[in-house]
Amino acid sequence: MNLDTESNQKLATKGLIIVFAISIVLRFWGLGRFNVFVFDEIYYAKFANNYLTNTPFFNSHPPLSQYLIAIGIWIGDRLPIGQDTTNNLTGSLHSTFSYRWMNAFFGSLIPPLVAGLAYQLSQRMSSAFLAALFISLDGLFLIESRYALNNIFLVLFGLLGQFLLLLANRNNQKYDRLIILGAGISFGASVSCKWNGLSFLLGAYILIIIAKVWRSIESNRQSSIVTNSQLFRLANIPIIEVFISLVIVPLFTYSVLWIPHLIQNPEPNFIDVQWSIFNYHEQVNNGSGVHPYCANWYTWPLLMRPLAYYFTEYKPNYYYDVHAMGNPLLWWLALAAIFGSIWIIIKNSWLIIQNNILAPIRELNISYISVPLFIVVNYAANLLPWVKVTRCLFIYHYMGAVLFAIMGLGWLVDVSLRSSSKLWQAAGLTTIFSIAGAFVFWLPIYLGLSIEKNDLHYRLWDFWIFNWI
């Protein structure tokens, strides 16, 4: 199947626009529903209002996401829309729309940003479209975009940092210093939402090291076959530039973003508040006694413990349920894509080593190394640090990792559609439509639609695995 024709490229571009439009609609539709706090809105919406009312408080996370929600409240209160549902749960009278719309807006930006990153890696509009399509068909990203929570900001800024880092190296001979500074600011902003934003920066460090090591190997062998890609062009960035733009700048950004909070809350000071946050999370235990939805890191990819954000029976045998869970079929296939990517890396790396990067390898598509390498490194950087964490964790901590797994699935489906094998093409198309069908099936508990008891049971993953509820 030839996906590189001009007409197909234009079709993929139109598809991206449609995906973006649908993402906006799904995130903003009925945003003011449920005139109560949903899950951790009890913290983040209230903290955001505290900034607007100059109310002192302690926050167990860095403040950026609450700043953004506060800005959303200030703007939302002055908009002519979304004022039909109000409450004073934050400590002041606000519409539910006002403290949720900023999440919806930022969440709508993730699919096109994923498309941009996928395109930087593969230089294919079809791959960009599929990556954006798949992330738009995930339930957890949709839910996190519809309520005043902080994970969507963390992911967006980390993703933006990765995108800008690759964009800065689009030229084979030099890098764009200004864009790399933007990447550093974005990484710092991600950490300023939650400390686990450091995982996006960790992935960048590892990839730069790999690129530099590979460049050194190729220089010794007088070959430049593999490094002619944006990923391996990261080797062009001098160490001093890496230190300034990706160490000093994120740290400076993180420090500066604390200033508004510290002006309002001078005690504890900047250093002490970092220790207070660390000690707070160190003291959180694990297990169902701490929270009924605690989920260890190894349960996340298989969706073994999704998380109820909101649940109420509004009439006999009919419920409103917002269940924080990914699209099961998408997450399973994305996990398979990670294992497939690891196999591709091992196979092609061995091929290069075995042939000493000589003539037979010149026909190897560079994306067959750079794309899976980028995916696997960032997936591991966002997942493996949780292995040693002993506090209660939740499935939303997997968002940073699964994002890259979904991108990897998009790339592999694109590869299958380009195959000369009708079987692989059919497998790719089946994957797309199956994931879309699964999304529609689980959509009622992503949007919190009215659902009958038996229909709800068939959609709750806990019920399928453990016969709970």
Side-chain angles (χ1 to χ4, degrees):
M1 184 180 295
N2 186 4
L3 301 180
D4 291 320
T5 64
E6 184 177 352
S7 61
N8 281 336
Q9 295 288 345
K10 290 181 178 179
L11 185 62
T13 302
K14 292 178 180 178
L16 281 173
I17 296 173
I18 294 173
V19 166
F20 182 43
I22 293 175
S23 295
I24 293 175
V25 170
L26 287 176
R27 282 156 177 78
F28 277 89
W29 176 85
L31 201 60
R33 297 170 68 238
F34 308 135
N35 194 20
V36 295
F37 279 151
V38 173
F39 193 56
D40 279 350
E41 285 186 330
I42 192 173
Y43 303 113
Y44 302 123
K46 188 176 291 187
F47 291 168
N49 185 68
N50 287 345
Y51 286 124
L52 297 174
T53 59
N54 199 33
T55 303
F57 69 100
F58 170 74
N59 189 352
S60 62
H61 291 294
L64 179 56
S65 59
Q66 287 92 89
Y67 293 163
L68 293 170
I69 296 171
I71 293 171
I73 292 174
W74 189 90
I75 295 173
D77 284 345
R78 289 158 177 78
L79 294 176
I81 60 174
Q83 305 302 323
D84 53 330
T85 307
T86 61
N87 62 59
N88 60 1
L89 296 174
T90 62
S92 303
L93 185 64
H94 298 298
S95 67
T96 51
F97 178 87
S98 71
Y99 55 76
R100 291 173 181 167
W101 79 267
M102 190 66 81
N103 280 72
F105 173 71
F106 272 72
S108 300
L109 298 177
I110 287 183
L113 188 54
V114 165
L117 184 55
Y119 182 77
Q120 293 300 319
L121 284 168
S122 65
Q123 298 298 302
R124 291 174 176 171
M125 285 301 300
S126 54
S127 182
F129 165 71
L130 288 170
L133 175 64
F134 287 159
I135 200 67
S136 70
L137 294 176
D138 180 63
L140 186 55
F141 277 87
L142 174 58
I143 291 170
E144 287 280 335
S145 301
R146 289 178 52 82
Y147 301 100
L149 307 172
N150 67 354
N151 296 301
I152 213 70
F153 301 112
L154 155 80
V155 170
L156 185 131
F157 286 122
L159 190 63
L160 180 60
Q162 294 275 359
F163 170 73
L164 292 175
L165 186 61
L166 290 185
L167 184 65
N169 290 274
R170 61 190 182 277
N171 189 302
N172 192 36
Q173 301 301 320
K174 60 181 181 179
Y175 61 94
D176 191 315
R177 176 172 290 132
L178 187 62
I179 295 180
I180 291 181
L181 286 174
I185 293 171
S186 298
F187 286 129
S190 181
V191 181
S192 298
C193 295
K194 272 187 173 182
W195 283 355
N196 50 296
L198 284 168
S199 294
F200 290 94
L201 196 51
L202 174 62
Y205 292 155
I206 295 172
L207 289 170
I208 290 172
I209 292 171
I210 291 174
K212 286 186 174 294
V213 169
W214 207 298
R215 174 65 60 85
S216 176
I217 293 173
E218 287 198 336
S219 296
N220 293 334
R221 293 176 175 176
Q222 297 182 344
S223 171
S224 60
I225 297 164
V226 177
T227 56
N228 188 27
S229 70
Q230 279 179 264
L231 177 60
F232 287 99
R233 288 173 194 161
L234 294 176
N236 295 334
I237 309 175
I239 294 297
I240 186 62
E241 186 68 45
V242 173
F243 180 74
I244 293 172
S245 297
L246 300 182
V247 178
I248 299 301
V249 170
L251 180 60
F252 177 77
T253 301
Y254 178 81
S255 302
V256 167
L257 287 172
W258 272 96
I259 291 176
H261 177 88
L262 293 172
I263 291 174
Q264 179 176 311
N265 305 272
E267 296 294 336
N269 61 35
F270 177 73
I271 300 299
D272 289 342
V273 76
Q274 310 306 314
W275 280 110
S276 296
I277 292 174
F278 177 79
N279 290 330
Y280 172 86
H281 291 285
E282 276 286 290
Q283 294 170 8
V284 177
N285 294 319
N286 196 4
S288 58
V290 176
H291 195 287
Y293 288 99
C294 288
N296 293 322
W297 67 272
Y298 51 82
T299 68
W300 303 338
L302 297 178
L303 277 167
M304 293 176 64
R305 197 66 176 115
L307 176 59
Y309 277 7
Y310 178 74
F311 182 85
T312 185
E313 183 179 17
Y314 71 96
K315 67 179 183 180
N317 289 325
Y318 281 85
Y319 301 87
Y320 291 127
D321 178 38
V322 177
H323 231 75
M325 59 181 286
N327 181 330
L329 189 58
L330 175 62
W331 279 33
W332 286 351
L333 292 173
L335 179 62
I338 290 297
F339 288 110
S341 296
I342 292 172
W343 166 246
I344 291 172
I345 292 170
I346 294 173
K347 177 182 177 181
N348 289 325
S349 297
W350 174 248
L351 186 63
I352 290 172
I353 294 171
Q354 190 178 38
N355 288 272
N356 199 28
I357 316 184
L358 295 177
I361 310 305
R362 296 185 186 278
E363 299 178 359
L364 181 65
N365 191 320
I366 292 173
S367 68
Y368 274 60
I369 297 176
S370 60
V371 176
L373 183 62
F374 179 90
I375 296 301
V376 170
V377 166
N378 277 298
Y379 180 82
N382 278 272
L383 177 63
L384 296 184
W386 295 108
V387 173
K388 289 293 185 178
V389 176
T390 57
R391 59 149 289 170
C392 177
L393 300 173
F394 301 101
I395 195 169
Y396 59 69
H397 289 117
Y398 186 54
M399 288 177 66
V402 75
L403 172 78
F404 293 102
I406 291 172
M407 286 179 57
L409 177 62
W411 177 73
L412 286 174
V413 170
D414 182 49
V415 170
S416 69
L417 293 176
R418 293 171 182 275
S419 171
S420 58
S421 167
K422 296 295 183 182
L423 182 61
W424 279 111
Q425 292 178 16
L429 290 172
T430 300
T431 297
I432 295 171
F433 287 106
S434 298
I435 289 172
F439 177 75
V440 172
F441 178 75
W442 270 280
L443 190 60
I445 64 173
Y446 298 152
L447 296 179
L449 303 178
S450 172
I451 189 168
E452 195 268 335
K453 181 178 180 179
N454 289 331
D455 291 336
L456 175 61
H457 276 202
Y458 283 117
R459 287 169 173 81
L460 292 184
W461 203 238
D462 290 348
F463 174 80
W464 285 23
I465 299 179
F466 304 109
N467 199 28
W468 294 340
I469 300 183

